[in-house]
Amino acid sequence: MKKIIFILSLVLLLANCKQQVQINSVKVTNIDELNTAIENSKAGDHIILNNGIWKDVEIKFLAQGAKENPITLSAETPGKVFIEGISNLAFGGDYLVVSGLHFRNGYSPSENVIAFRIDENMIANNCKVTNCVITDFNKLQRDNDDLWVQFYGRHNQLDHCYIAGKTNGGPTIRVDLKGNQSIRNYHKIVNNHFGPRPRKGGARGETIQLGSSFTSMSPSHTTIANNLFEACNGEVEIISSKTNFNEIKNNVFYKSEGSVVTRHGNYAMIDGNYFIGDGINENYGGIRIVNTGHWIVNNYFYNIIGENFRSPLAVMNGIPKSPLNRYNQVTDVVVAYNTYVNCRSPWQFGVGTNIAQKDVLPLSEIRSARPIRTIVANNIIYNDNGDKFLVIEHDKADGVLFKSNVIDNKGVAFKNYDGGVQAASLQLKNISESIKIPTGIPDTVKPYIGFDFKTITEDLFGNSRANNNRVGAVINADVENPNILDKSKYGADWFSNEIEVKEPVTHVVNRVEDIQTKINEANNGDIIALKEGVFILNKSLVINKTITIQTQGDGKAQINFSGDDNTPLFELNPKGKLTVNNLILKGNTSNYAFASLKENMSNHFGLTVSGCEISNFNYILKAYKQTFSERITFESSLFYDCENGIELSEETNDKGDYNTEYLTINNCNFNNVKQNVVDYYRGGYDESTIGGNLLVTNSTFTNCGAKEKNKRLLNHNGIVNVNINNNTFKNNKVKFVSILWGAKNNVESENTIVNSGQIKTEENLVMTLMY
């Protein structure tokens, strides 16, 4: 019998060895060889892409690996295989791995850069993308939405990748749950570095979206863990959880303008995350709660001072009997064992209530359902400076139970909610620059043990709560620095987004024909210095990098632009961020001073004008549809005898989009600008869009607006934040200097108005519903 067993074992061993011998490692140099290798691949095979640029390739990785022997497609050298041009990658099959690729200098021909399916019938399961990078892989048009990674199927994973720079519409990552093959998926998004996502200027700019409103009742069980989110500023939602049973754990949200949002779906676990702000920028957010059954535990908030949608904890009002795509009432939520350090008004309830707008909104849009059956317990708040409004009730928080919360508020009085919020004198222990742990909790404060609270078994640092439990995210501050901002812990091991800071080089220009040449030769951040004198130019200057153009010395160089009608002196291309200092610019009355491209603006532009004199142009600035600038600034400058002024109003689709996040006009003089003096537009009722931003201060407007059809001097319809302060409006032939939106953050003060109409406030503007 033993002999028979020995022989059988030997046969199995030899068979296994034979299988191992048959595993192939094949190197491919072009797409045809790659397709052949994929078609012939077997479990355990390794397909190696030759180093270099792979341009205009659509990779369809359709194969069948095995759990112990996946099929791997990898770069010959991680980071040395570049996927460029019109290219994408799609998976189909089981146990497939892609590693070491860099997507850059191009865009996808489809709705995805990486998709975990070939088509609706060929889905990926148990597949993985690891150690890859996607940077600036944007569609040519901002409104041409896509997703850089789209999950389908089950048990797929994105790990140790760096992904940054998405500017067009659509979440960077989405988990799709359409169809039984994609629910209960247990996908993992782990150990990635999500680098800067610039502001999009409207909705559809999330970094991660888990499902959609129409699959929001489906179970997902997706895990997002151990990732670094750095400057993820696309929109108000960084992560939008729209399905059930998702876990968001141990992530770092560093100076990111948005929040983690349980937008739809139920039973999310948000555990052990860090939210790090700077105490200055009010756009850095925390966690916003909608729907049912979420647990918010062990999270650490530092210097988060946002309000409403971007407050450290924002608990929303819902819509009674809400449709799937709107706001369900918050019920049965637990907020426990969190720590807030120097966070202004950290707890806000009834966020989004809009009962005051019932006259301009349908009843189905009124958010009047307050949170109920919600517990806020065992949390710590520490403030260097006392905060009079620790809790803000936009609507009554009468459905919230407060238990065993501790606050060091430096003696400033606060509402204690029937003893559920207790004052204490605490100390801070510095663990790192961004982690400061309150200590000295009185022994009399015992953690509240609610239903299922015993399932919270660890603290922020993974220490057991079993024998020495305390309130707050940390039970013992005697810990080593966890180095949460060490970027080497996240993303691809071969890639760094750290950029060496270089001193700008000044390129002196004496001749007009040398201006564009010097711009082309310059590096990002360099300065083009024009000698004093007159430069006569008949062709647009192309700006496709960060550059400053100014006069050399104390005088002013002058550029007279004689280019064709409707062409700009400065053509602002993707990534063209221009600063113009101390120049005189003159047009021929039919051309433009500054303009974006009419199309194919695949990335943002930027503009700062300082100390300049600009005249005789058809437009001072013309920004076309589907273009966007994070900041446009005019300061200490004179504008006169122009047909049109600053035109930022072509996003008329009423989907919440706009052309710039921040438009600033300070200490400027506008004289005889006939129309569109300032025309800045955002259309569509969308409570999630909380921009743009218009600041007009210390400026003078004289004899402007004579041809303005709507008789408004400053047009800013739908812009959420408007401040018109300390200006003079004189002899402008308009009915209104401005119409402010009272329900939003529109204000004016200390303005002098002479023969120029009036500034009017309308509390509620009638706007087209986006949904």
Side-chain angles (χ1 to χ4, degrees):
M1 184 67 182
K2 290 182 179 179
K3 186 175 181 180
I4 295 173
I5 293 174
F6 173 76
I7 293 171
L8 289 173
S9 299
L10 183 61
V11 169
L12 290 173
L13 178 62
L14 291 172
N16 185 59
C17 291
K18 184 178 180 181
Q19 181 185 17
Q20 294 296 323
V21 170
Q22 291 177 342
I23 290 175
N24 295 317
S25 179
V26 56
K27 188 174 181 181
V28 297
T29 61
N30 58 55
I31 189 64
D32 291 332
E33 292 179 1
L34 174 58
N35 289 337
T36 299
I38 291 172
E39 184 178 354
N40 296 329
S41 64
K42 301 178 182 63
D45 283 0
H46 187 187
I47 302 170
I48 302 169
L49 275 66
N50 190 59
N51 286 348
I53 295 174
W54 291 64
K55 190 170 184 179
D56 299 334
V57 292
E58 296 185 52
I59 302 172
K60 294 183 179 179
F61 193 6
L62 178 61
Q64 289 294 326
K67 183 175 183 179
E68 301 300 328
N69 290 297
I71 300 172
T72 300
L73 189 159
S74 67
E76 178 184 5
T77 305
K80 298 296 184 181
V81 172
F82 302 102
I83 311 299
E84 299 188 355
I86 305 174
S87 300
N88 63 3
L89 165 67
F91 286 88
D94 295 274
Y95 297 105
L96 310 176
V97 178
V98 170
S99 175
L101 309 184
H102 188 173
F103 291 80
R104 68 176 193 182
N105 299 335
Y107 60 92
S108 173
S110 66
E111 65 177 6
N112 308 127
V113 178
I114 298 174
F116 284 89
R117 74 174 187 182
I118 304 293
D119 56 35
E120 291 184 1
N121 298 313
M122 290 184 283
I123 307 294
N125 296 291
N126 303 294
C127 294
K128 180 165 69 171
V129 175
T130 184
N131 209 28
C132 291
V133 169
I134 308 175
T135 51
D136 299 328
F137 212 70
N138 293 298
K139 300 278 193 180
L140 297 180
Q141 299 286 96
R142 182 173 75 154
D143 287 354
N144 192 353
D145 292 10
D146 68 353
L147 300 114
W148 282 6
V149 181
Q150 177 124 294
F151 283 83
Y152 300 91
R154 292 179 175 176
H155 299 285
N156 295 312
Q157 182 165 311
L158 178 77
D159 70 83
H160 296 93
C161 292
Y162 177 82
I163 300 177
K166 194 173 195 297
T167 57
N168 65 311
T172 308
I173 315 291
R174 177 191 281 161
V175 173
D176 191 288
L177 279 84
K178 297 184 184 73
N180 288 333
Q181 68 272 27
S182 295
I183 65 172
R184 292 185 292 275
N185 54 68
Y186 295 92
H187 297 314
K188 292 184 178 180
I189 302 170
V190 294
N191 300 108
N192 301 288
H193 183 177
F194 295 103
R197 174 160 190 176
R199 302 177 184 98
K200 180 189 167 291
R204 311 185 324 281
E206 305 96 328
T207 296
I208 300 179
Q209 185 185 80
L210 304 179
S212 67
S213 57
F214 300 105
T215 59
S216 60
M217 295 297 103
S218 301
S220 184
H221 298 280
T222 295
T223 296
I224 303 172
N226 303 308
N227 303 285
L228 172 62
F229 295 82
E230 178 189 13
C232 292
N233 301 337
E235 59 142 89
V236 71
E237 298 181 9
I238 302 169
I239 297 177
S240 184
S241 180
K242 297 186 174 184
T243 46
N244 295 329
F245 307 112
N246 297 312
E247 184 173 22
I248 301 168
K249 185 177 178 66
N250 298 342
N251 302 284
V252 179
F253 298 89
Y254 180 65
K255 294 184 179 180
S256 290
E257 295 186 349
S259 301
V260 173
V261 183
T262 61
R263 181 62 181 86
H264 300 299
N266 306 306
Y267 310 112
M269 173 63 78
I270 305 177
D271 181 3
N273 302 281
Y274 298 84
F275 297 85
I276 310 298
D278 62 1
I280 300 171
N281 189 333
E282 296 181 352
N283 292 323
Y284 300 148
I287 298 172
R288 178 158 56 95
I289 302 301
V290 191
N291 279 60
T292 291
H294 311 298
W295 283 59
I296 317 301
V297 301
N298 292 327
N299 299 285
Y300 174 81
F301 304 80
Y302 179 67
N303 274 346
I304 302 294
I305 61 169
E307 299 178 350
N308 292 297
F309 277 52
R310 285 174 167 155
S311 56
L313 176 71
V315 182
M316 291 197 65
N317 264 21
I319 297 170
K321 299 180 181 179
S322 174
L324 284 176
N325 65 333
R326 303 308 293 129
Y327 287 86
N328 282 312
Q329 185 177 21
V330 173
T331 71
D332 306 295
V333 165
V334 172
V335 180
Y337 294 112
N338 302 286
T339 294
Y340 305 81
V341 176
N342 292 329
C343 295
R344 188 169 64 201
S345 301
W347 297 339
Q348 302 199 18
F349 297 92
V351 170
T353 183
N354 58 354
I355 298 171
Q357 295 175 274
K358 62 182 183 299
D359 294 336
V360 295
L361 292 174
L363 184 62
S364 60
E365 281 293 316
I366 302 302
R367 293 185 291 279
S368 59
R370 299 194 290 267
I372 60 173
R373 301 192 304 274
T374 290
I375 299 173
V376 177
N378 306 337
N379 302 284
I380 295 177
I381 298 174
Y382 178 96
N383 291 317
D384 281 337
N385 298 303
D387 187 349
K388 187 176 180 180
F389 300 104
L390 293 171
V391 179
I392 292 182
E393 297 182 52
H394 301 272
D395 198 349
K396 291 181 180 179
D398 51 5
V400 181
L401 176 67
F402 295 86
K403 288 287 188 179
S404 297
N405 300 287
V406 175
I407 296 176
D408 186 337
N409 204 34
K410 297 298 182 284
V412 175
F414 56 87
K415 184 177 177 180
N416 71 6
Y417 291 89
D418 296 324
V421 185
Q422 305 175 43
S425 180
L426 307 177
Q427 298 80 46
L428 278 186
K429 180 173 181 179
N430 288 351
I431 307 300
S432 71
E433 183 178 346
S434 301
I435 303 177
K436 304 175 190 300
I437 303 301
T439 63
I441 309 299
D443 291 336
T444 55
V445 178
K446 303 299 182 184
Y448 171 74
I449 306 300
F451 179 76
D452 260 356
F453 272 43
K454 290 183 179 180
T455 63
I456 308 172
T457 59
E458 296 180 343
D459 73 353
L460 173 66
F461 296 136
N463 298 312
S464 174
R465 291 188 178 273
N467 298 318
N468 187 29
N469 196 17
R470 292 178 178 271
V471 301
V474 177
I475 62 172
N476 185 354
D478 293 329
V479 293
E480 294 183 0
N481 181 0
N483 295 311
I484 60 171
L485 297 179
D486 178 2
K487 294 181 182 180
S488 68
K489 298 168 62 174
Y490 315 93
D493 59 16
W494 51 266
F495 183 87
S496 172
N497 73 339
E498 298 291 342
I499 299 174
E500 181 183 357
V501 177
K502 297 181 179 180
E503 289 295 320
V505 175
T506 299
H507 307 264
V508 178
V509 176
N510 297 293
R511 304 184 308 161
V512 67
E513 55 267 31
D514 293 336
I515 300 177
Q516 186 67 63
T517 300
K518 292 297 184 182
I519 292 172
N520 295 342
E521 293 174 352
N523 293 315
N524 276 314
D526 283 357
I527 299 169
I528 307 298
L530 306 183
K531 288 282 192 178
E532 290 186 40
V534 178
F535 295 80
I536 299 175
L537 191 67
N538 60 15
K539 188 176 181 181
S540 298
L541 295 173
V542 176
I543 307 299
N544 57 9
K545 62 188 68 172
T546 300
I547 202 82
T548 296
I549 301 178
Q550 63 188 34
T551 301
Q552 185 185 39
D554 298 328
K556 285 192 177 182
Q558 179 171 322
I559 301 177
N560 292 346
F561 183 53
S562 59
D564 293 342
D565 293 357
N566 305 319
T567 62
L569 167 53
F570 294 101
E571 180 187 278
L572 302 168
N573 282 229
K575 297 187 179 181
K577 296 183 179 180
L578 173 65
T579 297
V580 178
N581 291 330
N582 208 31
L583 295 178
I584 299 173
L585 309 178
K586 288 186 177 293
N588 65 3
T589 72
S590 62
N591 49 31
Y592 307 159
F594 309 93
S596 66
L597 295 180
K598 288 185 178 180
E599 56 186 14
N600 296 339
M601 284 293 288
S602 61
N603 215 303
H604 296 348
F605 72 94
L607 179 63
T608 298
V609 177
S610 179
C612 292
E613 181 182 317
I614 298 176
S615 64
N616 297 100
F617 286 98
N618 187 1
Y619 280 91
I620 297 169
L621 169 63
K622 176 73 170 178
Y624 291 95
K625 185 175 177 59
Q626 300 194 49
T627 66
F628 187 74
S629 171
E630 293 196 66
R631 293 184 183 273
I632 296 173
T633 301
F634 298 94
E635 59 185 6
S636 302
S637 295
L638 170 64
F639 308 93
Y640 63 93
D641 295 341
C642 293
E643 183 70 18
N644 295 275
I646 301 165
E647 176 67 61
L648 299 160
S649 64
E650 292 209 0
E651 294 293 1
T652 56
N653 58 14
D654 287 348
K655 296 296 184 182
D657 295 332
Y658 44 100
N659 290 119
T660 187
E661 192 69 36
Y662 294 95
L663 173 59
T664 300
I665 300 169
N666 179 49
N667 194 33
C668 291
N669 192 323
F670 291 77
N671 195 329
N672 193 31
V673 178
K674 297 180 178 62
Q675 56 187 334
N676 300 313
V677 181
V678 173
D679 199 354
Y680 181 19
Y681 180 83
R682 185 196 68 83
Y685 172 71
D686 172 22
E687 71 289 332
S688 293
T689 300
I690 55 180
N693 300 268
L694 172 63
L695 177 65
V696 183
T697 56
N698 307 310
S699 297
T700 300
F701 298 80
T702 307
N703 297 321
C704 293
K707 292 186 178 180
E708 189 60 71
K709 294 178 181 178
N710 69 1
K711 298 301 180 181
R712 298 185 197 176
L713 188 69
L714 306 180
N715 288 276
H716 45 79
N717 190 77
I719 302 302
V720 174
N721 304 298
V722 177
N723 188 344
I724 302 172
N725 172 256
N726 198 34
N727 304 286
T728 298
F729 302 95
K730 185 176 180 180
N731 297 331
N732 301 290
K733 295 181 179 179
V734 294
K735 184 176 181 180
F736 299 105
V737 168
S738 164
I739 296 181
L740 301 173
W741 190 0
K744 299 297 182 180
N745 188 26
N746 283 205
V747 296
E748 65 90 14
S749 62
E750 300 182 10
N751 296 292
T752 301
I753 301 176
V754 179
N755 193 28
S756 297
Q758 62 176 313
I759 297 177
K760 178 185 176 182
T761 297
E762 290 187 5
E763 187 64 21
N764 295 307
L765 297 182
V766 178
M767 302 190 77
T768 303
L769 289 175
M770 290 174 52
Y771 303 98

